[in-house]
Amino acid sequence: MIPRVLSGIQPSGNLHIGNYLGALGNWVKIQHQYESIFCIVDLHAITVYQKPEELRSKIREIAGIFVAAGIDPEHSRIVVQSTVPAHAELAWLLTCVTPMGWLERMTQFKAKAAAQESIGDGLFQYPVLMAADILLYQANVVPVGEDQMQHLELARDIAQRFNSLYGDTFTMPATKLPSVGARIMGLDDPTAKMSKSASGSGHAVALLDPPDRIKKTIMRATTDSNPGVDFETMGPGVANLLAIFQAFSGWTDDAMRTNFSGMRYGDLKKQVAEMTISCLEPMQKRYQEITADPEYLDGILQRGADVVTPIANATVKLVKERMGIYTPAR
Ligand code: TRP
């Protein structure tokens, strides 16, 4: 049987080059080796307040970017989480086997809760919903970044607990990740991972940013006090710029050293900006074409939901039977 891969992305904030080089670009590369499901997790997004109009358009935007970036809608399923009710249903069933203590230990919850005046219960349950996304499809492989590893471990723990309480039901998702991509840091603060939600215009290059804006953001990136690129002593800002160039260009380490050793930062940034712009341009052009026809995108999302719904419903049916909640006699 072909292994199944599943991943998800929240439709909040702008997808940026860190998302592409660290996640989306990898999904594109590996999608044909698997039965692939990529979710736009709108039910996760609303665990913190989203303006309805913005959320609505973000969901479409992300679907468009997926296709523009090379997710093949003839092969891979692009699914808006809320269009398959089984996600929410399984989440509740799993909530009932998840000790609160496990959720209280989640570092992302602690960080998000600390930044919030009042915390919705959904924020607390967030990792259970993510476990449901994964276990619903009996996914074998879940490519996520380092920051989601704790959630993935939790999904395994929940699966294990369910299996031992009610008998073998869920496939254990592997924690081994397929070749993870580059970890791109914030351009204004290269000690923190590039984030969709960070405010400030100097932080990230969004995938849909126009060329002049991309250039401006990169030219303003934090570097260090060396006079030029020194591979032995460079700080995290310079290393990040080089990582972006290398990830987009595919150059070898040797080629990077030969080309960039001693280069002044103004020139380095110019090259990074040009490489970034030229790699994003075809994607942006495809995005315009794809979104010019809203029905085309709707069709892809409808087909995604249609194909995965029977898989999801079969899991929920089995889980209900195992738990002993009502199932008709015939
Ligand atoms: N929590 C993930 C993130 O913020 C998004 C996500 C939701 C996800 N459900 C998932 C990732 C299932 C992988 C699998 O990045």
Side-chain angles (χ1 to χ4, degrees):
M1 227 176 72
I2 312 175
R4 191 173 284 154
V5 71
L6 178 135
S7 199
I9 225 160
Q10 288 196 58
S12 57
N14 292 321
L15 280 198
H16 53 62
I17 56 173
N19 299 125
Y20 179 74
L21 297 173
L24 183 53
N26 261 319
W27 301 355
V28 171
K29 276 191 219 136
I30 64 168
Q31 62 182 327
H32 289 104
Q33 298 162 34
Y34 298 94
E35 192 187 316
S36 302
I37 303 174
F38 301 113
C39 293
I40 300 169
V41 292
D42 52 353
L43 298 176
H44 277 105
I46 57 171
T47 56
V48 297
Y49 177 79
Q50 306 291 330
K51 292 202 181 97
E53 272 321 309
E54 278 175 25
L55 179 58
R56 222 183 323 272
S57 66
K58 264 300 157 220
I59 293 165
R60 300 192 75 88
E61 181 184 294
I62 297 211
I65 291 177
F66 277 12
V67 179
I71 299 290
D72 172 6
E74 298 303 321
H75 171 81
S76 303
R77 301 306 154 201
I78 301 176
V79 177
V80 179
Q81 187 185 33
S82 64
T83 65
V84 182
H87 284 259
E89 198 174 5
L90 182 61
W92 172 256
L93 300 170
L94 296 180
T95 291
C96 298
V97 302
T98 307
M100 281 176 70
W102 290 4
L103 299 177
E104 279 160 356
R105 280 201 289 277
M106 294 293 110
T107 54
Q108 188 170 303
F109 169 72
K110 287 193 266 186
K112 283 189 183 174
Q116 212 91 2
E117 262 178 53
S118 97
I119 305 145
D121 186 37
L123 200 59
F124 192 60
Q125 304 293 339
Y126 180 112
V128 184
L129 180 58
M130 177 163 161
D133 298 340
I134 297 165
L135 302 177
L136 195 52
Y137 302 107
Q138 312 281 7
N140 306 97
V141 179
V142 184
V144 288
E146 199 57 46
D147 62 320
Q148 294 297 315
M149 283 310 275
Q150 196 187 27
H151 288 162
L152 185 50
E153 287 293 349
L154 183 87
R156 290 168 55 85
D157 289 343
I158 293 173
Q160 211 141 44
R161 190 175 163 90
F162 190 98
N163 287 352
S164 72
L165 284 171
Y166 296 110
D168 243 356
T169 306
F170 292 118
T171 305
M172 277 305 146
T175 47
K176 193 183 140 290
L177 307 177
S179 67
V180 268
R183 186 163 187 260
I184 304 300
M185 313 301 281
L187 291 165
D188 57 346
D189 173 10
T191 62
K193 190 179 162 192
M194 191 176 277
S195 146
K196 279 195 281 157
S197 50
S199 53
S201 56
H203 178 75
V205 171
L207 294 177
L208 298 178
D209 276 351
D212 57 333
R213 188 178 168 117
I214 294 174
K215 187 153 187 207
K216 211 163 127 194
T217 309
I218 291 176
M219 294 310 287
R220 279 168 49 193
T222 303
T223 50
D224 55 38
S225 55
N226 287 344
V229 178
D230 178 341
F231 279 85
E232 311 321 319
T233 64
M234 64 186 171
V238 176
N240 190 40
L241 287 166
L242 291 166
I244 292 169
F245 187 97
Q246 188 168 20
F248 274 126
S249 66
W251 284 17
T252 62
D253 290 348
D254 278 351
M256 290 296 293
R257 276 180 185 261
T258 312
N259 190 66
F260 289 110
S261 285
M263 186 181 284
R264 289 164 167 278
Y265 293 149
D267 293 330
L268 165 68
K269 287 173 174 178
K270 231 182 259 164
Q271 293 215 21
V272 174
E274 275 165 24
M275 177 56 69
T276 303
I277 290 165
S278 71
C279 287
L280 293 187
E281 235 167 19
M283 192 192 304
Q284 296 183 349
K285 206 167 147 260
R286 275 198 300 277
Y287 177 82
Q288 295 308 334
E289 290 162 9
I290 289 159
T291 51
D293 177 8
E295 282 173 25
Y296 173 69
L297 259 192
D298 284 328
I300 289 171
L301 298 177
Q302 183 67 56
R303 225 170 336 122
D306 288 347
V307 171
V308 304
T309 291
I311 308 171
N313 287 349
T315 303
V316 168
K317 182 163 179 274
L318 179 64
V319 168
K320 285 177 164 176
E321 279 168 12
R322 289 274 152 90
M323 294 180 98
I325 58 181
Y326 175 71
T327 34
R330 222 277 65 132

